């Protein structure tokens, strides 16, 4: 650890660092004793005062016994690890130093925070009063087996196999490096300290000079996969064409095509576990200068995120089908997670005032598709995305942590919270209205943007004003959401749609409703709108009937083996066939319909409500459940009654054609307080 120094002697290394980051051939790691930053006069004066007033650190551990973790006496204290130089096979040796992250710029009410001031990318050693620049390490713990030896401050300890590999690849042959590594810098056996340190991780990553995401050893041609990512980024840098590039286009530009060995290598790279763990969200989103290290190969996080965004925007991510056989990490999921993290990082970087950022709920939704060894971390890991510090309490159960998080959601977001509920829950004793964040979502939300007021929180119960509309009378088998298979008569999707058509013909003809949006309703119109939940492929806009209806009519007629399939079904001038469905314009619309259909039906089933309303219900929906409309909600909800006087259990959100535009509120039905238990 570097000794105390005069701040005027610091050398500005920003330009040198940025040049190295652009090349990204090896990770930028903070070397011990190297000065990375110069300060303006204003900052220098503030830092001098802070260092002068910072209390010195005592020399004893928590209880006087020999141990590597010295007592942290201040809520802004962390430990920085200095990894000693050595070869790849040498024993790992390090020292831990208590440092403070307590320095803050004073915020002038008339001035934006941090404007024109030096970047806060350092800590202060409590022992030497020196500034310390460090690199934060992001990695997967792997199996909780501590079997790899390490010597820290002269004491022998043990770490996990994956951390051992990471440290050996980060260690320099001739100079020590400063790192923040949670497994060693936090006393994992002290739950109180762990809770405080987890709450500080926002600062840890924002104050790091650089962050390295360790992806694991080189494997599955990962070096070539990284080069292919850069090639894709280069080709698509200025490509604004909305059409999905085909194999001919990719081959013309020297890029791998889906199904090739190189494409498989890209799939395997995206399926690496680090991309799908919940902690990487704040580590990548909050840090400056983030790089990923795969064995000896380094790639900038911006290259990885641009590639993932390109795959999604060009609709090429649909071809990532590899799933890791042991832990079932998916390349498609990895691509989605990288893109979401990049969007979150972009959003955070544009905030003028961090206090105005989105609430806790949006962060929980962002992290839901990620994985965590401890389900409580699905909440604790995203709390750090917000500037409000909340202590992570590892003495509480998962149910208590999730319920407290739900109770902390702003009153205007309660409807959105309920839209996140899916049953059954994997968390014991979790109230039905509290989302289970421990499992990935099984459906795409229908009404996440709903707003309401007037929440009454009564312990584990939730009271909301609403109207109980009607009961479910029929349900289909679970939906098969791969619409591209529907033209194959023996496929699961074709069998599902055939039975769904029969359900609609038998129970929803004629259709029972009149709405201002649809003044003349046919069962055909209600049916195809229900299959896409009233949205187009963006899941935001209404579906264009002039494009979607002819293709659905052709599909229904083909499956039912008659024309028209539905009574009062429109007759369209253009006669579609399976062959011309692959033509340029129909093929583009067909693909968009497939996306809309999958988003609406995956994890759900078709149902009939009341007098014949077609509905998309949660997968757990069953006959006898009731549809309720809550004041301020964008979508109805399905509830299940228990014993008399016990309230209702929330099953999940639903779509009911004919009541999606507030019609229930005009039916003269009585509004009541609905108690969710």
């Amino acid at each position: 650890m570097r000794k105390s120094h005069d701040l005027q002697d610091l050398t500005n290394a920003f330009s040198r660092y940025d040049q190295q980051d652009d090349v990204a051939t090896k990770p930028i790691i903070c070397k011990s004793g190297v000065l990375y930053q110069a300060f303006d006069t204003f900052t220098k004066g503030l830092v001098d005062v802070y260092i002068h007033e910072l209390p010195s650190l005592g020399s004893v551990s928590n209880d006087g016994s020999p141990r590597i973790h010295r007592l942290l006496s201040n809520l802004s204290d962390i430990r920085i690890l200095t990894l000693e130089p050595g070869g790849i096979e040498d024993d790992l040796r390090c020292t831990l130093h208590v440092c403070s992250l307590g320095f803050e710029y004073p915020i002038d009410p008339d001035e934006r925070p941090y404007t024109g001031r030096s970047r806060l990318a350092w800590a202060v050693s409590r022992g030497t009063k020196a500034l310390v620049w460090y690199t934060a390490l992001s990695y997967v713990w792997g199996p909780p087996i501590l079997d790899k030896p390490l010597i820290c401050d002269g004491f022998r300890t043990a770490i996990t196999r994956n951390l051992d590999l990471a440290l050996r690849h980060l260690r320099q042959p001739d100079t020590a490096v400063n790192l923040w590594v949670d497994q060693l810098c936090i006393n994992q056996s002290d739950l109180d300290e762990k809770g405080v340190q987890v709450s500080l991780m926002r600062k840890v990553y924002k104050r790091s000079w650089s962050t390295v995401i360790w992806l694991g050893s080189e494997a599955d041609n990962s070096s070539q996969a990284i080069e292919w990512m850069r090639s894709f980024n280069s080709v698509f840098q200025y490509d604004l064409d909305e059409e999905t590039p085909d194999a001919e286009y990719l081959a013309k530009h020297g890029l791998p095509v889906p199904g090739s060995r190189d494409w498989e290598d890209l799939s395997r790279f995206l399926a690496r576990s680090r991309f799908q763990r919940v902690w990487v969200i704040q580590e990548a989103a909050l840090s400056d200068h983030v790089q990923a290290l795969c064995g000896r190969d380094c790639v900038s996080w911006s290259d990885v995120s641009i590639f993932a965004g390109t795959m999604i925007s060009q609709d090429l991510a649909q071809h990532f089908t590899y799933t890791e056989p042991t832990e079932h990490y998916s390349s498609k999921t990895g691509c989605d997670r990288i893109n979401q993290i990049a969007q979150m990082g972009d959003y955070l970087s544009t905030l003028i005032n961090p206090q105005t950022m989105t609430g806790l709920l949006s962060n929980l939704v962002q992290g839901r598709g990620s994985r965590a060894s401890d389900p409580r971390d699905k909440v604790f890991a995203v709390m750090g995305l917000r500037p409000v510090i909340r202590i992570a309490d590892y003495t509480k159960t998962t149910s208590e942590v999730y319920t407290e998080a739900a109770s902390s959601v702003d009153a205007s977001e309660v409807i959105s919270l309920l839209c996140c509920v899916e049953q059954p829950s994997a968390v014991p004793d979790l109230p039905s209205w509290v989302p289970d964040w421990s499992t990935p979502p099984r459906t795409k939300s229908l009404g996440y943007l709903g707003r309401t007021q007037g929440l009454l929180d009564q312990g584990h119960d939730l009271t909301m004003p609403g109207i109980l509309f009607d009961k479910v009378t029929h349900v289909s088998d679970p939906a098969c959401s791969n619409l591209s298979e529907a033209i194959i008569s023996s496929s699961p999707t074709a069998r599902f749609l055939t039975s769904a058509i029969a359900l609609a013909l038998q129970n929803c003809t004629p259709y029972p409703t009149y709405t201002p949006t649809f003044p003349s309703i046919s069962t055909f119109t209600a049916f195809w709108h229900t299959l896409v939940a009233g949205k187009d492929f963006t899941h935001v806009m209404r579906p264009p009937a002039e494009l979607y209806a002819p293709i659905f009519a052709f599909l229904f007629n083909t499956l039912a083996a008659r024309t028209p399939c539905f009574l009062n079904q429109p007759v369209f001038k253009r006669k579609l066939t399976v062959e011309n469905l692959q033509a340029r314009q129909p093929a583009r619309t067909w693909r968009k319909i497939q996306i809309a259909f999958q988003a609406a039906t995956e994890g759900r089933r078709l149902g009939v409500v009341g007098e014949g309303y077609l509905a998309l219900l949660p997968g757990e929906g069953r006959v006898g459940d009731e549809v309720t409309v809550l004041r301020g909600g964008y979508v109805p909800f399905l509830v299940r009654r228990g014993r008399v006087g016990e309230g209702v259990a929330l099953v999940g959100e639903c779509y009911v054609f004919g009541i999606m535009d507030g019609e229930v509120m005009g039916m003269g039905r009585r509004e009541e307080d609905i108690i969710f238990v």
Side-chain angles (χ1 to χ4, degrees):
M1 187 67 67
R2 181 174 172 81
K3 300 299 182 182
S4 181
H5 50 258
D6 187 341
L7 292 175
Q8 289 180 325
D9 295 335
L10 291 173
T11 303
N12 191 342
F14 267 121
S15 59
R16 181 180 73 252
Y17 181 90
D18 289 338
Q19 291 169 3
Q20 291 173 307
D21 187 43
D22 288 340
V23 178
T25 56
K26 58 182 179 179
I28 304 300
I29 308 168
C30 285
K31 298 179 179 180
S32 183
V34 175
L35 311 178
Y36 284 87
Q37 194 174 2
F39 297 113
D40 56 86
T41 303
F42 173 77
T43 302
K44 177 187 178 303
L46 292 175
V47 174
D48 280 339
V49 172
Y50 178 78
I51 290 177
H52 177 74
E53 296 178 349
L54 188 68
S56 298
L57 189 68
S59 58
V60 296
S61 58
N62 294 12
D63 58 4
S65 60
R67 63 178 68 176
I68 64 173
H69 292 113
R70 187 189 297 270
L71 175 68
L72 299 178
S73 57
N74 192 287
L75 291 178
S76 62
D77 284 352
I78 63 170
R79 301 182 185 91
I80 299 296
L81 178 147
T82 299
L83 183 62
E84 297 181 9
I88 190 73
E89 299 296 336
D90 293 342
D91 291 342
L92 290 173
R93 297 177 179 274
C94 65
T95 55
L96 286 175
H97 309 269
V98 177
C99 298
S100 172
L101 295 177
F103 176 82
E104 298 283 0
Y105 281 119
I107 299 178
D108 188 325
D110 298 324
E111 183 180 339
R112 295 191 316 179
Y114 312 122
T115 301
R117 299 172 181 173
S118 299
R119 175 185 165 211
L120 288 181
W122 40 267
V124 178
S125 169
R126 292 286 303 277
T128 65
K129 301 293 186 74
L131 297 185
V132 179
W133 288 266
Y134 63 93
T135 295
L137 176 63
S138 169
Y139 67 105
V140 175
W141 274 48
I145 302 172
L146 306 178
D147 59 354
K148 306 302 290 185
L150 175 140
I151 299 174
C152 184
D153 288 320
F155 296 102
R156 288 191 173 273
T157 187
I159 57 177
T160 60
R161 186 175 298 270
N162 196 41
L163 177 57
D164 177 84
L165 278 172
L167 293 179
R168 291 184 183 279
H169 281 82
L170 290 172
R171 180 167 54 179
Q172 303 296 298
D174 53 4
T175 184
V177 295
N178 294 334
L179 303 171
W180 185 87
V181 185
D182 65 341
Q183 196 173 136
L184 288 165
C185 295
I186 299 175
N187 184 356
Q188 300 292 333
S189 62
D190 186 336
L191 293 183
D192 290 336
E193 177 187 307
K194 183 178 178 181
V196 173
Q197 291 292 290
V198 166
S199 304
L200 273 177
M201 285 177 66
R202 171 184 172 84
K203 266 192 175 182
V204 168
Y205 282 94
K206 285 190 71 68
R207 298 288 180 90
S208 65
W209 180 254
S210 62
T211 293
V212 172
I213 300 174
W214 169 248
L215 300 179
S217 300
E218 181 180 353
D220 301 318
N221 294 320
S222 53
S223 295
Q224 184 59 54
I226 289 173
E227 290 305 313
W228 280 129
M229 285 195 300
R230 294 189 176 114
S231 297
F232 267 98
N233 293 348
S234 177
V235 169
F236 286 99
Q237 184 175 7
Y238 302 109
D239 191 333
L240 302 179
D241 195 336
E242 294 183 358
E243 287 195 44
T244 300
D246 55 19
E248 181 181 354
Y249 177 93
L250 296 176
K252 176 183 176 181
H253 289 81
L255 299 173
V257 299
S260 67
R261 174 59 189 272
D262 289 326
W263 191 270
E264 179 73 6
D265 293 339
L266 282 167
S267 294
R268 289 173 180 267
F269 183 84
L270 292 173
R272 287 186 174 245
S273 59
R274 192 58 193 151
F275 295 134
Q276 302 181 43
R277 307 298 290 186
V278 70
W279 285 106
V280 78
I281 297 175
Q282 68 165 321
E283 295 163 356
L286 294 175
S287 304
D288 290 320
H289 307 307
V290 185
Q291 295 169 302
L293 185 63
C294 185
R296 293 293 185 183
D297 298 308
C298 184
V299 58
S300 70
W301 177 254
S302 62
D303 277 345
V304 176
S305 58
I306 290 171
F307 172 75
T310 299
M311 293 298 99
I312 292 173
S313 65
Q314 297 291 332
D315 200 23
L316 289 170
Q318 61 174 308
H319 301 297
F320 288 130
T321 58
Y322 174 76
T323 299
E324 192 273 329
T326 304
E327 297 293 335
H328 306 293
Y329 292 104
S330 158
S331 55
K332 175 64 167 62
T333 303
C335 191
D336 290 338
R337 299 306 303 157
I338 294 167
N339 188 55
Q340 288 178 347
I341 294 167
Q343 290 176 347
M344 176 62 77
D346 291 342
Y347 167 71
L348 293 175
S349 67
T350 61
L351 285 180
I352 295 175
N353 183 0
Q355 302 295 333
T356 64
M357 73 171 295
T358 54
L360 174 63
L361 179 60
S362 64
N363 297 335
L364 290 168
V365 171
Q366 287 281 346
R368 187 170 195 173
S370 302
R371 298 197 188 187
S373 301
D374 187 331
R376 294 170 295 186
D377 284 341
K378 298 296 281 291
V379 171
F380 297 151
V382 300
M383 288 195 312
L385 291 171
R386 307 190 71 229
V388 179
I389 296 179
R390 295 178 59 187
I391 303 300
D393 190 347
Y394 283 95
T395 66
K396 293 183 177 179
T397 66
T398 302
S399 177
E400 290 172 330
V401 171
Y402 287 6
T403 303
E404 286 187 7
S407 300
S408 300
V409 167
D410 188 87
S412 66
E413 295 185 310
V414 174
I415 290 289
S416 295
L417 175 79
L418 300 183
C419 288
C420 299
V421 171
E422 293 179 334
Q423 303 294 353
S425 168
V427 177
D429 303 321
L430 191 68
S432 72
W433 59 274
V434 176
D436 177 5
W437 304 111
S438 69
T439 58
R442 297 183 287 275
T443 61
K444 187 173 181 64
S445 177
L446 300 171
Y448 171 65
L449 297 178
R451 294 291 184 266
T452 190
Q453 295 286 352
L455 164 67
L456 299 176
D457 186 4
Q458 302 171 342
H460 275 214
D461 296 345
L462 178 71
T463 302
M464 302 284 294
I467 296 174
L468 290 169
F469 172 63
D470 219 328
K471 292 185 178 182
V472 175
T473 59
H474 300 80
V475 295
S476 73
D477 292 332
C480 299
S481 58
N482 187 359
L483 193 60
S484 64
E485 297 180 346
I487 55 179
I488 304 172
S489 59
S490 60
S491 68
T493 305
R495 291 196 297 270
F496 162 71
L497 284 174
T498 301
S499 64
I501 289 171
L503 184 71
L505 287 171
Q506 293 168 11
N507 301 283
C508 307
T509 306
Y511 205 75
T513 189
Y514 167 89
T515 72
T517 307
F518 301 95
S520 179
I521 293 298
S522 67
T523 305
F524 166 76
T525 298
F527 187 59
W528 78 257
H529 274 86
T530 301
L531 292 179
V532 294
K535 296 290 190 292
D536 70 354
F537 73 103
T538 66
H539 205 61
V540 175
M541 306 297 292
R542 292 186 185 272
E546 69 279 8
L547 297 178
Y548 282 32
I551 292 179
F552 272 118
F554 161 72
L555 182 61
F556 299 158
N557 294 344
T558 302
L559 291 170
R562 66 174 181 270
T563 303
C565 174
F566 288 92
L567 184 67
N568 297 326
Q569 178 177 311
V571 177
F572 299 97
K573 293 181 179 179
R574 182 175 184 180
K575 301 298 183 181
L576 285 173
T577 65
V578 173
E579 290 72 24
N580 64 27
L581 194 59
Q582 308 304 321
R584 184 181 181 90
Q585 181 57 48
R588 292 177 63 182
T589 303
W590 177 228
R591 174 57 187 158
K592 292 177 179 179
I593 291 175
Q594 292 173 30
I595 295 172
F597 179 84
Q598 180 175 10
T601 61
E602 190 167 32
R604 297 189 170 97
R605 62 177 76 223
L606 196 72
V608 179
V609 176
E611 300 174 353
Y613 290 85
L614 280 167
L616 275 178
L617 306 174
E620 289 297 306
R622 63 193 188 203
V623 172
D625 290 342
E626 294 184 67
V627 171
T628 182
V629 176
L630 300 178
R631 187 197 300 168
Y634 280 10
V635 296
F637 292 90
L638 197 66
V639 301
R640 185 171 299 155
R641 290 187 183 273
R643 290 193 292 265
V644 177
E646 285 191 349
V648 298
L650 179 60
V651 181
E653 59 181 355
C654 58
Y655 175 92
V656 183
F657 185 87
I659 68 168
M660 300 303 296
D661 294 316
E663 293 87 349
V664 172
M665 296 301 178
M667 292 181 180
R669 305 198 181 197
R670 182 176 61 87
E671 187 177 84
E672 58 185 286
D673 285 340
I674 298 173
I675 302 174
F676 295 95
V677 296

